[in-house]
Amino acid sequence: MWTTTDLVGFEVGAALKNAYTLGVGLASGMLEKAAGSDPANACMHNTAAAIFAQGCTEIERLLRVAGASPFFAYGLPGAGDLYVTSAGGRAVRFGSLLGAGRSYAEARQIMAEETLESVEIIRAMDCALPRMFERGLLKPDEMPLIRALIGIVVHGQPADVPFDAFFGNLRS
């Protein structure tokens, strides 16, 4: 345990991991929808890993935009907490329901008694991203996963993960 003076980085990283945990949950739902097997017989671990890694990449980018230390994306408030939360909990369960093909309304009804911080973070990002794009702080193609999560949660689109758009800023 240690202290920090970067409260913005700490809070932003910890909040965003909730949204990306919902994304990781999509993988188990996709596995369920595929009747328990993916083409590589890998139980969607590679799918979950790609979503997890893209989530960390996007958290880092958003921390930089907020003027916070990008360290938190890969430290305990980001990747560490994302890992723990992805092992179980409300957000990953909700994502699993969406990944299995349930609509947002159906999934929300199933989890009606649950507080879903992940949904609120995704809704907040739906408002914040266009402002960041307008101000030139981000380019729209930098954030494919959070945009997909916004589409699923806010706009009721089916769960579709844009894997081909992942890691665009890391590919040469």
Side-chain angles (χ1 to χ4, degrees), residues 55 86 90 104 144 170:
S86 293
R90 299 178 304 262
Y104 173 82
L170 301 176

Side-chain angles (χ1 to χ4, degrees), residues 12-13 16 20 53-74 138 143 169-170:
V12 169
L16 286 170
Y20 291 107
Q54 180 65 27
C56 290
T57 300
E58 292 186 17
I59 290 171
E60 177 188 8
R61 184 68 183 104
L62 290 164
L63 287 170
R64 288 181 188 278
V65 167
S69 170
F71 163 79
F72 286 121
Y74 305 105
L138 289 173
M143 310 302 291
N169 60 331
L170 301 176

Side-chain angles (χ1 to χ4, degrees), residues 66-146:
S69 170
F71 163 79
F72 286 121
Y74 305 105
L76 292 177
D81 204 6
L82 179 56
Y83 176 80
V84 170
T85 310
S86 293
R90 299 178 304 262
V92 80
R93 245 186 14 238
F94 194 73
S96 181
L97 291 168
L98 296 171
R102 304 254 188 189
S103 69
Y104 173 82
E106 291 172 314
R108 194 64 192 110
Q109 186 174 10
I110 290 167
M111 295 185 66
E113 301 301 315
E114 303 285 341
T115 300
L116 295 172
E117 299 93 340
S118 56
V119 168
E120 296 312 314
I121 296 301
I122 292 168
R123 288 185 193 284
M125 291 306 297
D126 182 43
C127 295
L129 276 183
R131 293 179 187 141
M132 291 180 209
F133 298 151
E134 286 172 13
R135 293 176 57 201
L137 299 171
L138 289 173
K139 297 177 195 158
D141 63 345
E142 287 184 272
M143 310 302 291
L145 181 53
I146 196 67

